[in-house]
Amino acid sequence: MSEKDYLPGAQVPDARGYFGAYGGRFIPEALVAAVEQVAEEYEKAKADPAFAAELDGLLKDYTGRPSPLTDVHRFSAEAGGARILLKREDLNHTGSHKINNVLGQALLTRRMGKTRIIAETGAGQHGVATATACALFGFDCTIYMGEVDTQRQALNVARMRMLGAEVVAVKSGSRTLKDAINEAFRDWVANVDSTHYLFGTVAGPHPFPMMVRDFHRIIGVEARQQVLDRTGRLPDAVVACVGGGSNAMGIFHEFIPDADVRLIGCEAAGEGADTPRHAATLTKGDPGVLHGSRTYVLQDEDGQTIESHSISAGLDYPGVGPEHAWLKDTGRAEYRPVTDDAAMQALRLLSRTEGIIPAIESAHALAGALELGRELGPEATILVSLSGRGDKDMHTAAQYFGLYDEQPAADDAGNGGK
Amino acid sequence: MASKLSGILAAAKAENRAALIGYLPAGFPTVDGGIRAINALIEGGCDVVEVGLPHSDPVLDGAVIQTADDIALRGGVRIKDVLRTVQEVATAHPEAAVLVMTYWNPVERYGTARFAADLAAAGGTGCILPDLPVEESEEWRKAADAHGLDTVFVVAPSSKDKRLAEVTAAGSGFVYAAAVMGVTGTRTQVGSLAEDLVARTRATTDLPVCVGLGVSNAEQAAEVAGFADGVIVGSAFVKRILDADGDEPAALAAVRAVAGELAEGVRRR
Ligand SMILES: Cc1ncc(COP(=O)(O)O)c(C=O)c1O
């Protein structure tokens, strides 16, 4: 992996973990030694060909990489005829992109001699991927998950427990992803000698935003070549959903030097970005410090975090990775809000036109692609990160669309009621 | 340029005892009730008080202080109420030093320079910022220096010696030595890590070294006073107020009594 200075004059991030004004390391003194150890071990691992070889082997033989690129013609017809290509991270082992980062950090954990892993999870996909790697490597595993999310993603709770992980339902605050991260940090401070905090997105203190991005870069590296091979040119736009921002950074990164390729992140707008119930951090937030780095945060005048809302547990987060904050301010990437309803309609549309049931998170990117396709017209090619599959979301979708027999079907025509 | 805080800690040392430092969040259970409770800590025997700025995401706090922060925030406490708390306590008790303990984001959001100016104007003597490591602290320290405020940094059992020197060189007032690896909350034992950390810290600085996290009774206070310059107590006070369940006279009597016992403990060395 090469050091990049892909925007003029910028080394990204700098030695202190800053992407422009964003990033850094806002952590308690008790965690400084542990976070420095992660940074040092990661630098050593990057320089060690054996590390890269082992990770590549796992990505190929365990995860099933490279993930395919799928042309979705019938779906594209609904997007003004623009050609839509899906990068199929849903076909990875465990069902989402999250495994890419997890395997990298699991190898790092073994190098550091630690025996226990903790992680936060929202949708449960990062938790499942982490529990999976812990089973594979023989680590103890504790996953923190907001109580609200344990209910709406119950299938993934069962998967994690089947894999041998302890799942702790977090009952503080908004009882969602933000609070799961708080609780994981509390665990880490108390158990740092034995424990690695396997952070699941491109947020948190340096080096996590950089390291997690690097482990997901493969998404964009593969996809860029696949699009070139398939279409003979680069896409006009790359679209991904943004919770913390890991699948988006993973697919964006390789395209950053391609100035003609638009990079578009889709944030969860919940009931609407202009209502109080959304998770559109980059659209509606302000710079602040949350969970170890300076970034955009949904916060009030006193710097108290405002609770986010989204039908998607994985996007229901009032912060975002600092590199996205920087890409937004520099104008290199654009961020758009996508409502719950737009995402759910896109979820159903992809299911019915292509036989692919996406995760609700990924459905936000699909909704963004539909809108963008109509703007750009039939000549355009749009690459979409299909970050995960929708099995975990069937309960939510069944309720949304009235798919259970005992429930009256709310509105079979399309505007599914809640 | 000895600050008021330094003077108070030096006076305790001159009496051959450790100082007693008490913590309560502002706005808990109400703004005025919180002011009365913090005054009671001083009346019971605290030399220094830390006024907590309640936060939505108190990642370094255990269940007891999380609950108190929640109550304060649901009651609508604002930064201006925290500053009023500082001012009323400082006015009522000019003999004590009043610090603010806060996570970083509220300060940055309020405006770093503005917060330092308003805290100093309210009679506050300094700040403890537990999630602002020394590397990120330059802007704050400039603002604090401009207003004569102390910046108290935390050191932890995991801090290596080289780092201890960097941290203590940047701080003033005293050094906050975390007795254990973990979040706030009462513990049955102070733990053996604290004494070693204090010794390693002293090797890097002349600042007083005060120990907090987990200390809750006179026995523990006396034990810590045997090797440290000050004893910091928070959750034990918060718990008394929670236990009183809305009975303010009982809560005030309880925290005053606990402060009294701890004040006796720090003199027992
Ligand atoms: C399938 C899927 N996509 C996206 C996300 C959002 O995370 P990020 O923004 O880090 O990619 C999640 C998180 O749980 C997820 O499960």
Side-chain angles (χ1 to χ4, degrees):
Chain A
M1 285 172 216
S2 61
E3 232 22 357
K4 283 251 161 84
D5 47 350
Y6 42 66
L7 284 184
Q11 264 266 327
V12 179
D14 69 13
R16 290 172 55 224
Y18 274 91
F19 304 86
Y22 302 105
R25 199 180 263 172
F26 294 81
I27 51 173
E29 181 60 29
L31 289 179
V32 167
V35 171
E36 282 178 350
Q37 185 192 13
V38 172
E40 283 162 21
E41 197 61 45
Y42 177 56
E43 290 306 318
K44 280 192 228 158
K46 268 202 290 191
D48 179 357
F51 179 82
E54 188 169 4
L55 182 55
D56 285 351
L58 284 168
L59 291 175
K60 180 167 168 285
D61 300 328
Y62 191 69
T63 306
R65 303 206 71 89
S67 64
L69 186 75
T70 304
D71 252 296
V72 285
H73 303 288
R74 276 165 47 75
F75 183 79
S76 293
E78 305 288 327
R83 183 173 185 182
I84 295 181
L85 295 159
L86 304 184
K87 179 60 175 165
R88 300 291 305 278
E89 294 298 300
D90 61 318
L91 294 178
N92 292 337
H93 178 45
T94 69
S96 81
H97 69 292
K98 297 286 183 188
I99 190 84
N100 302 324
N101 164 52
V102 165
L103 290 172
Q105 287 198 51
L107 289 177
L108 210 63
T109 304
R110 200 183 60 194
R111 287 177 70 106
M112 291 187 293
K114 295 193 170 179
T115 55
R116 176 172 178 263
I117 283 181
I118 57 172
E120 83 294 346
T121 197
Q125 288 301 119
H126 177 60
V128 166
T130 301
T132 297
C134 289
L136 179 65
F137 285 85
F139 297 133
D140 285 340
C141 182
T142 300
I143 304 293
Y144 291 93
M145 187 168 189
E147 191 184 35
V148 169
D149 296 338
T150 61
Q151 288 158 8
R152 59 179 160 172
Q153 309 277 230
L155 171 71
N156 276 346
V157 175
R159 290 172 80 197
M160 290 184 267
R161 289 187 174 142
M162 179 58 65
L163 290 158
E166 184 189 345
V167 180
V168 179
V170 176
K171 296 183 175 66
S172 56
S174 54
R175 295 175 291 132
T176 56
L177 182 54
K178 160 180 92 73
D179 310 284
I181 295 174
N182 290 345
E183 210 53 40
F185 270 115
R186 292 181 186 118
D187 181 317
W188 204 24
V189 173
N191 299 296
V192 68
D193 281 346
S194 68
T195 301
H196 176 58
Y197 181 4
L198 206 162
F199 203 68
T201 190
V202 290
H206 178 64
F208 286 101
M210 171 184 76
M211 178 172 75
V212 176
R213 174 201 71 196
D214 289 351
F215 287 137
H216 282 302
R217 277 191 68 233
I218 188 148
I219 304 171
V221 170
E222 286 175 5
R224 189 173 180 282
Q225 191 59 50
Q226 287 168 321
V227 174
L228 281 174
D229 291 347
R230 182 83 52 92
T231 70
R233 63 181 188 91
L234 289 172
D236 297 287
V238 181
V239 181
C241 68
V242 178
S246 66
N247 86 93
M249 266 333 298
I251 199 162
F252 285 175
H253 196 258
E254 189 69 2
F255 290 96
I256 289 175
D258 302 321
D260 292 337
V261 178
R262 287 171 68 183
L263 305 177
I264 298 175
C266 296
E267 300 194 288
E271 295 174 11
D274 292 320
T275 74
R277 293 177 61 83
H278 65 79
T281 307
L282 288 160
T283 308
K284 288 287 173 176
D286 297 290
V289 171
L290 178 66
H291 293 148
S293 56
R294 181 176 292 116
T295 184
Y296 280 75
V297 181
L298 295 178
Q299 57 179 321
D300 71 11
E301 280 168 45
D302 276 4
Q304 310 288 1
T305 312
I306 296 173
E307 291 180 8
S308 56
H309 292 278
S310 169
I311 194 169
S312 148
L315 305 185
D316 197 348
Y317 181 55
V320 65
E323 194 165 5
H324 285 292
W326 180 71
L327 289 173
K328 173 190 157 80
D329 281 13
T330 58
R332 180 62 191 92
E334 310 154 49
Y335 296 88
R336 297 183 171 194
V338 172
T339 62
D340 288 349
D341 192 57
M344 294 308 288
Q345 299 308 328
L347 184 150
R348 184 161 67 175
L349 184 65
L350 190 75
S351 304
R352 300 248 169 122
T353 56
E354 302 288 344
I356 299 170
I357 303 178
I360 299 178
E361 289 76 19
S362 321
H364 285 72
L366 293 165
L370 290 171
E371 182 186 86
L372 187 70
R374 291 175 200 136
E375 289 166 25
L376 298 182
E379 301 305 311
T381 302
I382 301 170
L383 171 66
V384 180
S385 171
L386 196 75
S387 55
R389 69 180 187 223
D391 308 36
K392 68 184 176 61
D393 295 316
M394 283 308 93
H395 182 61
T396 303
Q399 286 189 320
Y400 197 85
F401 294 116
L403 306 179
Y404 289 136
D405 282 340
E406 59 272 25
Q407 283 183 347
D411 175 0
D412 202 46
N415 311 312
K418 276 194 260 184
Chain B
M1 51 154 250
S3 68
K4 179 175 182 180
L5 176 59
S6 308
I8 288 169
L9 294 171
K13 192 184 176 85
E15 290 173 20
N16 190 30
R17 65 173 177 94
L20 179 61
I21 302 172
Y23 164 93
L24 276 176
F28 168 66
T30 60
V31 177
D32 288 328
I35 291 167
R36 287 189 286 271
I38 296 168
N39 282 334
L41 295 193
I42 300 171
E43 287 148 20
C46 287
D47 303 290
V48 177
V49 286
E50 301 171 2
V51 176
L53 195 158
H55 192 42
S56 54
D57 294 276
V59 284
L60 285 168
D61 287 300
V64 171
I65 292 176
Q66 284 178 45
T67 303
D69 276 14
D70 257 13
I71 290 170
L73 289 170
R74 272 191 270 121
V77 70
R78 301 289 311 268
I79 291 178
K80 64 176 170 24
D81 301 313
V82 177
L83 292 168
R84 178 164 75 85
T85 300
V86 169
Q87 178 166 16
E88 297 219 2
V89 172
T91 306
H93 291 288
E95 75 282 11
V98 185
L99 305 171
V100 164
M101 174 120 174
T102 177
Y103 292 92
W104 175 245
N105 194 47
V107 177
E108 183 165 308
R109 181 74 167 160
Y110 190 85
T112 302
R114 177 177 164 223
F115 188 83
D118 289 358
L119 177 56
T125 64
C127 242
I128 308 173
L129 301 156
D131 63 345
L132 189 74
V134 67
E135 290 82 355
E136 303 285 358
S137 70
E138 194 179 319
E139 190 194 340
W140 162 259
R141 283 185 286 136
K142 277 198 192 129
D145 286 349
H147 295 282
L149 296 172
D150 284 314
T151 301
V152 173
F153 282 102
V154 180
V155 295
S158 59
S159 306
K160 299 186 181 114
D161 291 347
K162 177 163 166 291
R163 182 154 178 97
L164 287 177
E166 289 161 16
V167 174
T168 58
S172 61
F174 65 91
V175 182
Y176 187 134
V180 292
M181 293 297 288
V183 295
T184 58
T186 58
R187 287 175 175 81
T188 47
Q189 290 197 318
V190 173
S192 55
L193 298 170
E195 188 164 2
D196 172 66
L197 175 60
V198 170
R200 291 194 298 122
T201 306
R202 282 201 201 291
T204 69
T205 183
D206 292 331
L207 287 173
V209 183
C210 304
V211 170
L213 283 198
V215 184
S216 63
N217 60 39
E219 284 307 307
Q220 293 171 328
E223 182 192 340
V224 170
F227 58 82
D229 300 304
V231 177
I232 307 168
V233 178
S235 295
F237 292 123
V238 173
K239 206 170 167 315
R240 290 311 189 290
I241 297 176
L242 288 172
D243 289 347
D245 204 19
D247 180 345
E248 178 166 317
L252 295 181
V255 294
R256 199 176 281 115
V258 174
E261 288 158 29
L262 292 162
E264 179 270 315
V266 300
R267 287 167 172 79
R268 225 192 276 164
R269 318 199 130 129

